[in-house]
């Protein structure tokens, strides 16, 4: 899936981190997966949907943080790279080419890694399903339906995406900080953790459903205001 977002940032900042490359990406991804797995399991009970929802939510959130890092460095090319939207209650949301680039564009974006893992298990999420999620999220900004996964009742995660972000982002940030993962490479690290989650034998689910869960949780969290998260 290609859009103009790929060319929106000069020299693609995801590939031009200076002096602090992501070291041992698989090791970092495994550390993230292990810790989130621990946090999600309750009384030794575990649901794969909850793990994927949590990873999707924090992964989406890492995309908006990466986009803001690019903007704060003065690397936006035009106003379409980062669009700020404010609702009537004063809440702020973000859209534009930059968040979408880290979320969906390129072979190392969060959802590209997710869909690659699904394909490896024989499932392909239709492009229209992905676009439908993006349209729904954009249409529900400022509404009670924003950030509520459009999944069957039996497939709903145990918490809303925003709840996973609030609970788990401080933990994830600490792991990423300890491993010196640059802000603009954090969606990649979490995307690799999602790849690894697809291979867990503990409780396998339909890879198509797995990809949908990640998408429904990641897309809205790539738009929220980081100032609302501790």
């Amino acid at each position: 899936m290609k859009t103009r977002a790929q060319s929106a940032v000069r020299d693609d900042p995801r590939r031009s981190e200076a002096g602090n490359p992501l070291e041992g990406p698989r090791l970092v991804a495994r550390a993230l997966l292990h810790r989130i797995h621990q946090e999600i399991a309750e009384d030794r009970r575990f649901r794969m949907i909850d793990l994927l929802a949590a990873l999707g939510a924090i992964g989406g959130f890492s995309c908006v943080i990466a986009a803001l890092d690019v903007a704060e460095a003065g690397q936006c090319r035009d106003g379409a790279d980062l669009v700020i939207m404010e609702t009537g209650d004063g809440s702020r949301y973000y859209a534009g080419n930059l968040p979408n680039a880290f979320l969906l564009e390129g072979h190392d974006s969060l959802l590209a890694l997710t869909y690659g893992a699904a394909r490896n298990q024989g499932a392909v999420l239709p492009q229209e399903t992905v676009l439908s999620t993006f349209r729904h999220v954009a249409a529900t900004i400022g509404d009670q339906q924003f950030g509520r996964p459009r999944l069957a009742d039996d497939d709903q995660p145990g918490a809303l995406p925003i709840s996973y972000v609030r609970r788990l982002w401080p933990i994830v940030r600490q792991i990423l900080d300890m491993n010196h993962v640059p802000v603009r490479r954090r969606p990649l690290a979490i995307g690799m953790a999602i790849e690894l989650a697809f291979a867990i034998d503990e409780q396998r689910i339909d890879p198509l459903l797995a990809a949908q869960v990640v998408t429904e949780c990641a897309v809205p969290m790539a738009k929220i205001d980081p100032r609302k998260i501790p």
Side-chain angles (χ1 to χ4, degrees):
M1 190 178 299
K2 302 289 184 183
T3 74
R4 62 197 180 107
Q6 273 187 306
S7 60
V9 184
R10 65 173 75 97
D11 297 329
D12 191 349
R14 292 170 298 167
R15 303 183 185 279
S16 61
E17 292 293 340
N20 196 10
L22 177 59
E23 295 180 1
R26 288 292 174 189
L27 187 61
V28 175
R30 289 187 185 280
L32 287 171
L33 179 61
H34 177 70
R35 183 60 187 275
I36 298 304
H37 186 291
Q38 285 183 319
E39 293 290 333
I40 292 301
E42 295 182 1
D43 298 326
R44 298 185 179 180
R45 291 176 298 176
F46 166 74
R47 292 179 72 227
M48 177 61 76
I49 283 177
D50 293 342
L51 177 64
L52 290 167
L55 288 168
I58 61 176
F61 184 63
S62 74
C63 292
V64 71
I65 291 179
L68 289 171
D69 185 68
V70 175
E72 289 167 3
Q75 293 179 294
C76 291
R77 294 183 63 179
D78 56 50
D81 276 357
L82 191 65
V83 179
I84 302 173
M85 299 168 287
E86 291 190 0
T87 57
D89 63 359
S91 297
R92 179 177 291 185
Y93 297 85
Y94 293 92
N97 295 330
L98 274 174
N100 288 344
F102 288 102
L103 182 63
L104 185 62
E105 297 300 326
H107 73 281
D108 60 355
S109 64
L110 185 88
L111 292 181
L113 294 173
T114 299
Y115 302 151
R119 281 194 300 273
N120 287 340
Q121 294 188 7
V124 176
L125 190 65
Q127 179 173 322
E128 179 53 36
T129 300
V130 179
L131 294 177
S132 173
T133 301
F134 275 81
R135 288 193 293 265
H136 173 76
V137 168
T140 56
I141 287 176
D143 187 83
Q144 290 186 347
Q145 292 304 308
F146 177 82
R148 293 183 177 274
R150 297 178 305 160
L151 300 165
D153 289 345
D154 290 343
D155 298 329
Q156 287 289 337
L160 292 174
I162 188 64
S163 297
Y164 284 126
V165 172
R166 287 175 175 152
R167 173 185 167 193
L168 299 173
W169 180 250
I171 296 170
V172 169
R173 182 177 56 203
Q174 182 180 41
I175 293 172
L176 295 170
D177 286 347
M178 288 176 58
N179 286 278
H180 308 292
V181 181
V183 171
R184 302 181 201 180
R185 301 297 280 176
R186 294 184 176 193
L188 168 64
I190 299 170
M192 286 183 169
I194 293 172
E195 281 185 313
L196 294 172
F198 269 75
I200 291 178
D201 292 325
E202 182 177 352
Q203 185 188 119
R204 286 187 177 274
I205 66 172
D206 183 335
L208 185 59
L209 172 60
Q212 286 180 294
V213 170
V214 173
T215 303
E216 288 287 326
C217 293
V219 176
M221 295 302 97
K223 295 186 177 296
I224 65 173
D225 188 351
R227 296 177 301 177
K228 289 191 172 183
I229 306 301

